């Protein structure tokens, strides 16, 4: 099983009838115990988009056809906000979990756009791969020197002010994550042998090895646990961000589609077209719905009440109960 390496993962949206029942049945039940609640797909709700993100019941994305930052309410199925914005080809969008702002990263600069009034602030030159603190007021990022011989991980306000250096490193990291536990972050170094996840202890400015893996990951809502891809295709591990202890979870049927649904469990899609809930503590599994068909490059954005929201990076589809 692998988590998406970045929000850029794309695929083809397939509409139609799906079966989605949130009746929690143990995967250890007898063969006659199945999930039979019929679900209907509302089909594609957004197309020609970039970088969709789901926070609670709000879907955020860039509408490529109209050049607008867009907010869509999953429950009412209405667009609640459109904000025209100019971008360069290849611009990357990183949304604040509070829904208040977005970072636009292109080859020339990084900008923070306030989604309420459209105001913009240009961040200093050299800011790369910024990620949001869960509260939406600060960012963690890599800062490259002009000669590219030194990489600094730093923290700043979301407009780039109040800069604080956390760690200097001779190498560039492939990915960064920052959860609700603001004194801890995760970095991924795909160039090490083997590729390695590490804990960044912000207060003591130290890197501590966490475990080998293949990139990609997600913090739990509380920020206490981190779900990461193992080296093996069917293995993930859950790391306690404060202690550094890890819990390997291996299931032959798991595939590349998963998302946290609570602080102690995550949803995953299997090769048997079943949606399951997996305990991040014990690895125990429960069937949630069967006969779901997701395209190979679709991934799960999350749950919005009783709706499963999936995307391929250029379109979004909702599976309703």
């Amino acid at each position: 099983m692998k988590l998406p390496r970045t929000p850029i993962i794309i695929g083809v949206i397939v509409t139609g009838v799906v079966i989605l029942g949130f009746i929690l049945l143990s995967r250890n039940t007898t063969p006659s115990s199945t999930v039979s609640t019929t679900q209907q797909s509302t089909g594609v709700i957004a197309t020609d988009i970039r970088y969709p993100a789901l926070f609670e019941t709000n879907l955020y994305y860039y509408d490529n056809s109209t050049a607008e930052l867009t907010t869509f309410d999953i429950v009412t199925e209405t667009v609640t906000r459109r904000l025209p914005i100019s971008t360069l080809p290849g611009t990357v969008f990183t949304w604040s979990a509070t829904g208040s702002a977005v970072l636009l990263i292109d080859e020339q600069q990084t900008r923070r756009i306030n989604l309420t009034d459209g105001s913009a602030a240009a961040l200093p030159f050299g800011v790369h791969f910024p990620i949001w603190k869960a509260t939406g007021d600060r960012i963690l990022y890599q800062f490259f020197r002009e000669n590219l011989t030194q990489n600094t991980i730093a923290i700043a306000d979301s407009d780039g002010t109040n800069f604080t250096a956390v760690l200097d490193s001779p190498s560039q990291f492939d990915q960064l994550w920052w959860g609700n536990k603001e004194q801890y972050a995760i970095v991924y170094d795909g160039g090490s042998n083997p590729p390695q996840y590490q804990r960044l202890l912000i207060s003591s400015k130290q890197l501590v090895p966490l475990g080998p893996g293949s990139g990609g990951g997600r913090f739990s809502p509380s920020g206490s646990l981190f779900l990461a891809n193992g080296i093996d295709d069917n293995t993930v591990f859950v790391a306690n961000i404060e202690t550094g202890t890890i819990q390997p979870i291996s299931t032959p049927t798991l595939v590349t589609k998963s998302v946290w649904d609570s602080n102690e469990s995550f949803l995953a899609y299997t090769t048997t077209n079943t949606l399951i809930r997996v305990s991040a503590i014990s690895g125990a599994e429960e069937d949630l719905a069967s006969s779901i068909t997701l395209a190979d490059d679709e991934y799960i954005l999350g749950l919005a009440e009783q709706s499963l929201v999936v995307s391929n990076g250029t379109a979004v589809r909702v599976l309703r109960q």
Side-chain angles (χ1 to χ4, degrees):
M1 170 183 175
K2 290 192 180 293
L3 301 164
R5 280 184 59 83
T6 70
I8 310 177
I9 301 175
I10 62 173
V12 177
I13 300 299
V14 179
T15 60
V17 176
V18 299
I19 299 175
L20 180 60
F22 292 95
I23 302 174
L24 307 183
L25 298 176
S26 169
R27 289 184 62 82
N28 295 321
T29 54
T30 62
S32 61
S33 298
T34 60
V35 178
S36 59
T37 302
T38 300
Q39 301 283 327
Q40 296 291 327
S41 171
T42 61
V44 178
I45 62 171
T47 59
D48 196 13
I49 67 169
R50 303 292 183 271
Y51 299 96
L54 181 70
F55 301 114
E56 296 182 348
T57 60
N58 287 318
L59 176 69
Y60 301 88
Y61 58 87
Y62 174 71
D63 190 326
N64 193 55
S65 62
T66 62
E68 293 174 315
L69 300 174
T70 306
T71 305
F72 183 91
D73 189 307
I74 294 293
V75 176
T76 62
E77 298 188 16
T78 57
V79 171
T80 58
R81 178 170 52 202
R82 291 188 181 274
L83 185 63
I85 193 73
S86 60
T87 63
L88 293 176
T91 297
V92 175
F93 299 78
T94 302
W95 303 91
S96 163
T98 61
S100 60
V102 62
L103 293 172
L104 276 59
I105 305 105
D106 59 41
E107 60 183 11
Q108 296 183 358
Q109 65 178 343
T110 298
R111 291 177 289 161
R112 183 202 64 179
I113 307 296
N114 186 310
L115 295 179
T116 302
D117 58 17
S119 60
L123 276 66
F125 179 78
V127 171
H128 292 271
F129 311 121
I131 56 173
W132 290 95
K133 182 181 174 182
T135 54
D137 58 341
R138 307 212 80 196
I139 57 173
L140 179 76
Y141 59 91
Q142 298 184 81
F143 182 86
F144 301 151
R145 302 292 192 269
E146 291 185 1
N147 58 10
L148 298 180
T149 60
Q150 187 71 39
N151 172 40
T152 297
I153 297 179
I155 295 173
D157 290 346
S158 61
D159 60 359
T161 60
N162 293 325
F163 165 96
T164 301
V166 176
L167 183 76
D168 289 328
S169 171
S171 61
Q172 172 186 332
F173 297 107
D174 296 274
Q175 293 175 283
L176 303 173
W177 297 268
W178 198 17
N180 269 327
K181 303 288 185 180
E182 61 183 67
Q183 290 303 313
Y184 302 90
I186 297 290
V187 304
Y188 177 71
D189 185 359
S192 62
N193 187 18
Q196 187 81 214
Y197 293 92
Q198 300 182 72
R199 283 192 307 150
L200 173 59
L201 311 182
I202 293 176
S203 58
S204 59
K205 301 184 177 182
Q206 292 180 301
L207 279 177
V208 180
L210 189 59
S214 54
R218 300 174 186 265
F219 269 109
S220 63
S222 69
S224 298
L225 301 176
F226 184 76
L227 178 64
N229 290 317
I231 294 294
D232 185 275
D233 286 343
N234 298 314
T235 301
V236 298
F237 66 82
V238 176
N240 183 302
I241 189 64
E242 295 181 276
T243 65
T245 56
I246 62 174
Q247 168 71 31
I249 297 175
S250 180
T251 303
T253 60
L254 291 183
V255 292
T256 62
K257 310 169 195 298
S258 61
V259 65
W260 289 96
D261 76 324
S262 74
N263 287 320
E264 296 184 347
S265 63
F266 60 92
L267 305 180
Y269 180 72
T270 75
T271 54
T272 59
N273 299 333
T274 302
L275 184 70
I276 65 174
R277 174 176 285 127
V278 183
S279 168
I281 308 302
S282 66
E285 302 169 9
E286 295 175 309
D287 284 338
L288 296 182
S290 60
S291 301
I292 295 176
T293 302
L294 301 186
D296 289 343
D297 41 14
E298 272 188 306
Y299 58 97
I300 301 173
L301 282 174
L303 284 174
E305 294 189 344
Q306 296 300 305
S307 301
L308 184 69
V309 185
V310 300
S311 178
N312 67 350
T314 60
V316 174
R317 168 165 80 104
V318 176
L319 315 181
R320 295 199 185 279
Q321 184 174 22

